Amino acid sequence: MKASTHAGLSRAGAVPPVIEARGVEVTISGHPILKGVDLLIPGGQVVALIGPNGSGKTTLLRALLGLQSVDRGQILLFGQPLDRRVLRRVAYVPQKLAMESGFALSVREFLALASDRALHWFWKSHAALDKLLMPAVEEVQIVDLLDRPLAKLSGGQFQRVMVAFALLRNPDLLLLDEPTAGVDAPGEYTFYELIGELQRRRGLTVVLVSHDLSMVYRHATMVYALNGVICCEGKPEDVMNADSLKRAYGIHVAPYQHHHHHGHGHSHPHVE
């Protein structure tokens, strides 16, 4: 665990990091949100972005997506400034979207919107459309949901559909903003297991915002704790301790016990 000191660390001739941020500052409505954020994320990592509410996590994701302008500093993806070509390599899974109960699209029709090859899907048969969609649909195990109205799905089902939507773009970088908000505990566990499997199978780089520190400890390979600036960073076992987390959250963090299937407990932190 150490303070972030990454600005300008990528070297000529070396494989560039997937994400490099240098001194990123963002002010919204007169309030400074990001106050000089540095990130250096190599490829093939599952990176958790943690921190209290209002710490700038979603703002940082939006900046990485080119949706939030940056007042100062620089963001590079795959060693390149943000532009349309670079952003085509990025996919995003938001929190569950607010959706009217009468929203008419089925899961199949919604997923067709993600695939360039499925343009004009209303002219295609279900069989032809499913042939295009099926690799991603099978990968996230939602074959039985294809005919369901999108608006009628549970939180966990909806997030799996959103992951399939993201995978249809064949991304190299996947960003997820509190993807299990509103999902029950068993669904949360299986969702993070799914993301881990996808990351390993596809060689993705994954950055996810999460408030569930136990899931972070179990699944992330790197952790960044954010509160306007990067307070601490490193492997989960280095960052997920009371002293480091207090720097990010400013409150006491106490250990708790959780149990794995092999029958013995481990003590990891949670926020009180």
Side-chain angles (χ1 to χ4, degrees):
M1 183 273 299
K2 59 185 183 301
S4 181
T5 55
H6 288 325
L9 289 185
S10 57
R11 300 183 303 276
V15 175
V18 170
I19 298 174
E20 186 169 10
R22 308 171 182 174
V24 171
E25 298 182 12
V26 172
T27 298
I28 299 176
S29 300
H31 300 288
I33 308 298
L34 302 180
K35 308 170 186 177
V37 169
D38 296 327
L39 291 176
L40 190 72
I41 297 175
Q45 302 291 321
V46 178
V47 180
L49 190 61
I50 66 173
N53 290 333
S55 62
K57 302 183 297 298
T58 296
T59 299
L60 180 55
L61 287 192
R62 287 176 53 80
L64 295 175
L65 289 162
L67 300 175
Q68 172 63 55
S69 60
V70 171
D71 300 319
R72 186 172 297 176
Q74 185 181 29
I75 294 174
L76 303 176
L77 298 183
F78 311 102
Q80 302 293 323
L82 300 187
D83 60 23
R84 182 174 297 181
R85 179 178 57 84
V86 168
L87 290 171
R88 285 184 65 85
R89 301 175 65 182
V90 185
Y92 173 57
V93 176
Q95 297 182 34
K96 183 170 172 56
L97 302 175
M99 193 170 297
E100 294 292 335
S101 60
F103 188 76
L105 287 186
S106 69
V107 169
R108 176 185 287 105
E109 292 161 347
F110 175 72
L111 291 177
L113 300 175
S115 175
D116 292 340
R117 296 172 62 200
L119 286 176
H120 309 301
W121 51 262
F122 43 88
W123 298 115
K124 297 182 184 292
S125 69
H126 280 186
L129 191 54
D130 288 355
K131 187 175 181 180
L132 298 175
L133 303 179
M134 200 53 66
V137 165
E138 290 179 336
E139 208 168 2
V140 300
Q141 302 165 27
I142 58 167
V143 175
D144 58 333
L145 300 180
L146 283 173
D147 293 311
R148 294 272 298 276
L150 193 67
K152 302 296 185 182
L153 301 181
S154 70
Q157 291 169 337
F158 181 87
Q159 289 306 87
R160 283 177 176 263
V161 170
M162 292 302 294
V163 171
F165 189 96
L167 294 179
L168 285 164
R169 300 185 59 183
N170 292 313
D172 297 307
L173 172 62
L174 180 62
L175 305 179
L176 304 101
D177 188 4
E178 295 189 49
T180 57
V183 178
D184 62 20
E188 183 178 27
Y189 180 85
T190 57
F191 182 86
Y192 280 111
E193 289 289 321
L194 170 67
I195 295 301
E197 291 169 8
L198 293 173
Q199 186 277 326
R200 290 186 291 272
R201 187 182 305 124
R202 288 176 171 247
L204 292 168
T205 303
V206 176
V207 178
L208 60 92
V209 169
S210 179
H211 284 292
D212 188 325
L213 301 187
S214 66
M215 290 295 176
V216 167
Y217 195 97
R218 193 175 296 127
H219 295 284
T221 58
M222 295 178 64
V223 179
Y224 281 87
L226 176 69
N227 197 346
V229 298
I230 300 297
C231 302
C232 46
E233 65 185 75
K235 296 179 180 179
E237 59 267 29
D238 297 328
V239 174
M240 306 293 283
N241 59 70
D243 290 340
S244 294
L245 292 175
K246 188 173 182 181
R247 294 174 59 190
Y249 289 87
I251 56 177
H252 182 59
V253 179
Y256 72 94
Q257 293 290 119
H258 72 75
H259 293 270
H260 296 295
H261 295 299
H262 49 68
H264 63 272
H266 295 278
S267 179
H268 302 313
H270 77 284
V271 177
E272 290 187 332

